[in-house]
Amino acid sequence: MEAACSSTPGSLRKFLNYQGCEASWSEKKVRRRLVLENPREMDLQSEAIQRVLSKYKFHDVAVEELQKIHRIFPEMKPTTGTYTFSDNTQRDLLKLIGNLPVQYEGRTYNLPIQLWLTNSFPFTPPICLLRPTADMVIREGKHVDSSGRIYLPGLHNWDHPKSSVVVLLREMISKFEEDPPLSAKATRNSSDPHELLTLVSSLRLSDGGVRHHDQQLNKVSVIGGGDLGMASVMSVLAKCKVDQVVFIDVAESSTKGGSTDLEIFSLPKVEVSRDMSASAGSRVVILTANSWTSEQSYTAVVQANVDLYRGIVPNLVRLSPAAIFVVASQPVDIMTHVAWRQSGLPPTRVIGAGCNLDSERLSYILDINLNTHKQAWVIGEMSDNKVPVMSNTGLSASVKSEIAGRSSATKPLLDRAFDMMKNRGQRSWSVGLSIADITNSILTDQKKIHSISTLAQGWGGIGSEVFVSLPCVLGANGSTRLAGTSLGPEEDSKLMDSVGSLSNLMSQIRI
């Protein structure tokens, strides 16, 4: 092999050393001859591999792709394992394990990685993870989250046969040479300057001193441009203590726009992007995108939004598997329901902005205008069927809040307050402030009660799987509903009418 390499052109020697780009036709011809003389086929003959591989939908194409990987990256070895997905389902899959050679500061480091190949491989991208050893630390960044999950544009835009694992691994090497994803743990007697350099590079200076990359950032991503997206970004910056806000314009969204202005007038802590991978590692993901459509029927308009979500929600979950998702797209109750279904996440981690703005307004009017110092909420669907309810405790009470039962004393007060707020619109800036309020409760684990769109099944006699606004305690782990209560006949009728109309609309759309 060495003799063959020395007699071939320099570009081909680079190819044979696994450092080059795509080979020309003549180079491929020479390589095929060398492979025939020195067969280097990936060993897929073990019983375990054969058993798992037999269940792959595109078996022959998968095998061909595996052999291509082996020819270029022979260090990647096949094995089998059981992968647990975000919805806790498990599946036996094939995975590739090996070390990726990455050059940094003039030295070559072998980064341990593993690639899980789903049963639709190679038409679906692999799930890529780092495999840090006991003396390594994961450096969370744009392309790697705190768990070691790898996110790259090549994964997000996967399109076989244009996309392949070989191309992906080359992209991985290129990105990791710019920003190494692993560093050595500190040792008491470290004297190797490269070890110390690697350790120092795993630290990031901030206003509060030094931050390790393996500590989770207060990162918020806003998906969807336009007025509401811009209002959400600015409100989150003003209200919340964040390390980074990522603003992603969705090309297919009717709400696009504003991102160019943010790029021109660059703001501290704001990253503007059109690449979903920039959202990786977010604690909160805010969805404001709505779809372009020329359709006239309401159902068709909603379906266009559902189709838009189908293309972005699963990717966002893969990029930020620990995030809380806050939906503000319209109609908010339906789109929150859709996002929950498409995400595979628990319902406590997919919520909608819902009636939070109306609830805050209602509490303010009761407190300031009517001198009633109790928290109140607006519950139900974002429609004319909204219902006001009141807490059984004062605003400053330290005891646990509950929804007070309807009484002859509270109904006139709530009706008057509700009437006073009827002409206040839902402008983008107002909704943006409400979204920031919700986001702040999550980031600070505030345990504040918000009326947000949530799964209502089982609450107050609701048997259907629907999302409506209900008072929920909101914190770092998501939402928890307050206990149900008996409503008056009029209010109960409105709530059940909403449940019926939402269930009917959900039955007409394709999620």
Side-chain angles (χ1 to χ4, degrees):
M1 177 67 78
E2 290 177 0
C5 289
S6 63
S7 62
T8 54
S11 60
L12 182 54
R13 287 202 302 274
K14 288 183 179 180
F15 176 88
L16 292 170
N17 285 319
Y18 323 118
Q19 295 175 3
C21 301
E22 289 296 327
S24 67
W25 180 86
S26 60
E27 290 170 345
K28 288 181 179 179
K29 186 176 181 181
V30 174
R31 179 174 63 81
R32 280 197 299 270
R33 176 174 58 79
L34 292 173
V35 168
L36 289 172
E37 294 172 359
N38 301 275
R40 294 181 291 122
E41 296 296 316
M42 182 178 283
D43 183 7
L44 302 174
Q45 300 308 311
S46 77
E47 184 179 341
I49 291 177
Q50 285 291 318
R51 185 181 70 254
V52 172
L53 196 53
S54 67
K55 299 177 182 178
Y56 276 53
K57 297 178 182 178
F58 309 102
H59 175 276
D60 293 345
V61 183
V63 169
E64 183 180 350
E65 185 70 15
L66 287 168
Q67 298 301 351
K68 289 179 182 177
I69 297 166
H70 183 71
R71 290 167 196 150
I72 309 302
F73 292 95
E75 293 299 318
M76 300 302 296
K77 304 297 184 183
T79 184
T80 60
T82 302
Y83 186 81
T84 303
F85 292 88
S86 58
D87 61 357
N88 291 323
T89 59
Q90 294 184 324
R91 180 169 293 171
D92 290 336
L93 296 176
L94 197 67
K95 62 179 176 178
L96 297 176
I97 294 178
N99 295 327
L100 205 60
V102 172
Q103 290 202 356
Y104 183 68
E105 298 289 338
R107 296 181 65 175
T108 299
Y109 297 89
N110 291 318
L111 302 184
I113 62 169
Q114 62 180 343
L115 277 57
W116 290 88
L117 310 179
T118 61
N119 67 349
S120 297
F121 175 79
F123 292 94
T124 52
I127 300 166
C128 304
L129 298 162
L130 294 169
R131 295 185 303 117
T133 60
D135 58 350
M136 292 181 179
V137 176
I138 294 172
R139 299 177 63 235
E140 184 179 354
K142 182 177 180 180
H143 300 298
V144 178
D145 67 16
S146 58
S147 68
R149 181 82 178 259
I150 298 169
Y151 302 96
L152 294 169
L155 289 168
H156 175 67
N157 302 313
W158 189 270
D159 181 20
H160 183 79
K162 294 179 183 177
S163 303
S164 70
V165 170
V166 169
V167 174
L168 178 68
L169 291 174
R170 286 175 176 154
E171 181 185 19
M172 210 175 286
I173 292 171
S174 174
K175 297 295 184 185
F176 290 167
E177 285 180 345
E178 296 173 4
D179 186 17
L182 293 171
S183 65
K185 283 185 178 178
T187 58
R188 187 168 297 177
N189 299 315
S190 291
S191 58
D192 184 346
H194 283 275
E195 184 177 346
L196 292 172
L197 176 65
T198 309
L199 175 64
V200 170
S201 70
S202 73
L203 305 177
R204 177 182 297 162
L205 292 177
S206 66
D207 294 339
V210 178
R211 178 196 301 275
H212 281 271
H213 269 259
D214 57 352
Q215 292 178 348
Q216 189 175 20
L217 297 173
N218 265 359
K219 179 176 178 179
V220 177
S221 291
V222 179
I223 315 299
D227 291 344
L228 181 54
M230 287 281 286
S232 299
V233 168
M234 303 302 288
S235 298
V236 166
L237 277 176
K239 175 82 173 179
C240 308
K241 187 176 181 180
V242 291
D243 298 301
Q244 185 182 22
V245 178
V246 177
F247 185 36
I248 298 179
D249 229 342
V250 180
E252 299 83 3
S253 173
S254 62
T255 55
K256 65 182 179 181
S259 60
T260 303
D261 292 333
L262 274 179
E263 286 178 311
I264 295 170
F265 303 101
S266 58
L267 296 178
K269 301 182 180 180
V270 176
E271 177 185 349
V272 180
S273 179
R274 289 164 185 81
D275 184 353
M276 289 292 174
S277 66
S279 68
S282 295
R283 288 190 62 191
V284 180
V285 176
I286 300 165
L287 292 160
T288 65
N290 287 294
S291 178
W292 286 101
T293 179
S294 58
E295 297 290 345
Q296 298 300 314
S297 74
Y298 182 62
T299 303
V301 171
V302 174
Q303 183 64 57
N305 258 6
V306 174
D307 295 340
L308 173 67
Y309 264 40
R310 191 185 303 116
I312 62 177
V313 169
N315 284 331
L316 290 168
V317 174
R318 284 194 288 270
L319 291 164
S320 300
I324 308 296
F325 284 72
V326 180
V327 177
S329 306
Q330 296 299 323
V332 68
D333 298 308
I334 291 292
M335 294 314 299
T336 308
H337 195 165
V338 168
W340 171 61
R341 286 270 202 93
Q342 293 175 341
S343 71
L345 295 173
T348 54
R349 288 176 48 205
V350 182
I351 60 176
C355 294
N356 184 65
L357 174 58
D358 283 341
S359 298
E360 294 297 321
R361 288 172 170 174
L362 181 63
S363 291
Y364 181 86
I365 290 170
L366 285 168
D367 184 35
I368 303 301
N369 297 79
L370 301 179
N371 202 33
T372 301
H373 310 299
K374 289 187 176 182
Q375 188 172 6
W377 306 283
V378 178
I379 66 173
E381 180 189 9
M382 280 292 290
S383 68
D384 293 338
N385 284 334
K386 292 179 290 189
V387 175
V389 296
M390 190 180 290
S391 171
N392 65 343
T393 61
L395 289 171
S396 58
S398 58
V399 297
K400 183 180 177 181
S401 291
E402 295 178 353
I403 303 171
R406 205 68 155 159
S407 71
S408 57
T410 60
K411 187 178 187 316
L413 199 61
L414 283 170
D415 288 347
R416 184 180 174 192
F418 205 52
D419 189 59
M420 291 174 68
M421 57 174 276
K422 274 187 177 178
N423 294 325
R424 302 191 182 192
Q426 295 264 342
R427 296 177 179 86
S428 294
W429 278 105
S430 302
V431 178
L433 289 168
S434 173
I435 290 170
D437 186 45
I438 292 170
T439 301
N440 188 60
S441 290
I442 297 168
L443 294 178
T444 61
D445 198 23
Q446 192 171 356
K447 299 296 193 293
K448 178 181 173 181
I449 300 174
H450 297 263
S451 184
I452 48 179
S453 188
T454 187
L455 180 62
Q457 192 172 29
W459 189 93
I462 297 175
S464 304
E465 184 193 284
V466 294
F467 275 63
V468 296
S469 287
L470 296 174
C472 297
V473 179
L474 195 55
N477 294 321
S479 62
T480 304
R481 297 182 320 206
L482 294 191
T485 187
S486 58
L487 302 173
E490 180 185 350
E491 291 77 18
D492 189 64
S493 176
K494 285 184 176 181
L495 188 60
M496 291 306 167
D497 283 349
S498 291
V499 169
S501 64
L502 289 169
S503 296
N504 181 54
L505 183 52
M506 284 295 296
S507 69
Q508 298 178 55
I509 60 177
R510 302 178 304 280
I511 296 179

